[in-house]
Amino acid sequence: MQALILTGGLGTRLRPLTLHTPKGLLPIQNIPYLSCLFAILRRHNIFNVTLCASNSPNLYQNLNRQEIKNGTKVLISKETQPLGTAGGIKNAQKFIQDSPFFVINGDVLTDIDLTKMLEFHRKKKALATIALIKVKDPSSYGLVFLDSSLKIKKFIEKPAKTNKVKETFINAGIYIFEKEILSQIPNKQSYSVEKELFPNALKNRMPLFGFPCPSSTYWLDIGTPQKYIQANIDFQKKIFSFFSNDKIKKSNRIPMEKKYKDTVIGKNCKIGKDTDLKRCVLLDHVEIENNCVLENCILGCHVKIGHHSSVQHSQIIGDYSHITPYSLC
Ligand code: GDD
Ligand code: MG
């Protein structure tokens, strides 16, 4: 079974971290997000993956070398400019051999049962199946409305904040597509799965189904600072089971230091005396001097924080930045 991963977005909500590193290569603990995703896919016998990438596809070369050893074959479909979510899939057409095939947003971390989802898709004889999940505030996601047979009646991408959204399913960013759906996407132009492909397919009465995941399913879109921090914390605390039988061994991960609450610390970091850290993610080679307070923030690689400084409020400090002593960020 084959999967396409959409990794061609600009990751604007995680800037400046994503200015030089694509979102998919940001670490969750010290493992690139995409390696985590590939490990999840291997659990469902998905070993053949194509990245639909628009930004610096060469940056993925190291990942490819590593993943071959782990058992996943990674190919890269390049977009010379971002073609949107559906345009990216169409652009990767020559890599698609299997029907059906999975398509996954390159920023979701989940233990959704993809094997069950595939069984469901086949049983329903769907053209497309969308994994569905419930979240507290659905307004920043794609809303999906179903009939009693779980056929999709309506799809609304990110409703205006003013519209009160009742508790409903959202698009979890994981799809199974039959190859025929590619004929619904125009060639070489920007096209969106969420705003064009799904609404048009529904207008044309095509069989799109929703696969509601059980409420115990873990699911997170890592694309905002708070969610990225949360994914790092969750991964350390409870998602170890993802890798129980995988080549990504526990020894790859850095244990969370108890004295710093909910903080994930990368390789070769130095933290001074009387410095408090809470809900932070430190990438590799960060140095924080004495008497600092850091809460709810992300520090890029090689960041230096001078003594008596404070960094808070979902701040992201970009790679190689130096914060002078006594700063308030
Ligand atoms: N190849 C390619 N080309 N990929 C793209 C492009 C593009 O032009 N634009 C975005 N992507 C990729 C992003 O890299 C990301 O992995 C994925 O498509 C989704 O884009 P986001 O920008 O993260 O979208 P979102 O999180 O706001 O909303 C999407 O995900 C939600 C679930 O997390 C939508 O699919 C929502 O409907 C969904 O609920
Ligand atoms: Mg996203």
Side-chain angles (χ1 to χ4, degrees), residues 74-193:
V74 185
L75 296 173
I76 302 200
S77 163
K78 296 183 194 177
E79 284 157 55
T80 42
Q81 58 181 49
L83 288 172
T85 42
I89 297 169
K90 182 78 173 187
N91 185 61
Q93 193 165 13
K94 62 174 180 292
F95 294 90
I96 304 172
Q97 293 136 5
D98 299 348
S99 188
F101 59 97
F102 277 92
V103 173
I104 301 180
N105 282 355
D107 59 358
V108 293
L109 197 56
T110 180
D111 60 0
I112 284 178
D113 190 336
L114 301 175
T115 306
K116 280 214 174 106
M117 183 175 169
L118 183 60
E119 279 165 23
F120 172 93
H121 173 84
R122 291 198 162 123
K123 198 166 139 208
K124 292 289 184 187
K125 297 191 171 31
L127 176 68
T129 297
I130 307 178
L132 306 178
I133 201 96
K134 282 193 171 157
V135 291
K136 270 192 198 141
D137 176 13
S139 59
S140 43
Y141 300 98
L143 307 191
V144 181
F145 301 88
L146 303 171
D147 73 10
S148 55
S149 71
L150 305 179
K151 203 167 183 185
I152 298 175
K153 289 189 300 190
K154 205 170 170 188
F155 188 100
I156 310 175
E157 181 65 7
K158 296 180 189 135
K161 288 265 177 205
T162 44
N163 291 351
K164 276 227 154 132
V165 183
K166 287 203 200 106
E167 198 192 331
T168 183
F169 282 115
I170 63 142
N171 166 20
I174 299 182
Y175 318 118
I176 301 176
F177 287 154
E178 293 297 321
K179 229 171 156 180
E180 296 123 79
I181 204 164
L182 296 173
S183 64
Q184 305 299 312
I185 308 174
N187 259 323
K188 294 185 188 315
Q189 73 181 61
S190 180
Y191 205 68
S192 160
V193 163

Side-chain angles (χ1 to χ4, degrees), residues 299-312:
L299 307 187
C301 294
H302 296 276
V303 163
K304 286 193 177 154
I305 309 280
H307 56 87
H308 294 90
S309 294
S310 165
V311 185
Q312 295 179 351

Side-chain angles (χ1 to χ4, degrees), residues 28-55:
I28 305 292
Q29 295 286 324
N30 62 340
I31 303 170
Y33 157 78
L34 282 173
S35 293
C36 301
L37 179 59
F38 298 155
I40 294 162
L41 297 181
R42 285 193 287 272
R43 295 181 67 184
H44 298 280
N45 297 319
I46 301 170
F47 299 101
N48 180 354
V49 168
T50 300
L51 299 182
C52 302
S54 66
N55 40 7

Side-chain angles (χ1 to χ4, degrees), residues 6-26:
L6 298 170
T7 56
L10 300 176
T12 50
R13 289 164 287 187
L14 286 176
R15 279 184 181 161
L17 281 188
T18 44
L19 287 178
H20 306 292
T21 310
K23 189 158 58 173
L25 294 182
L26 290 178

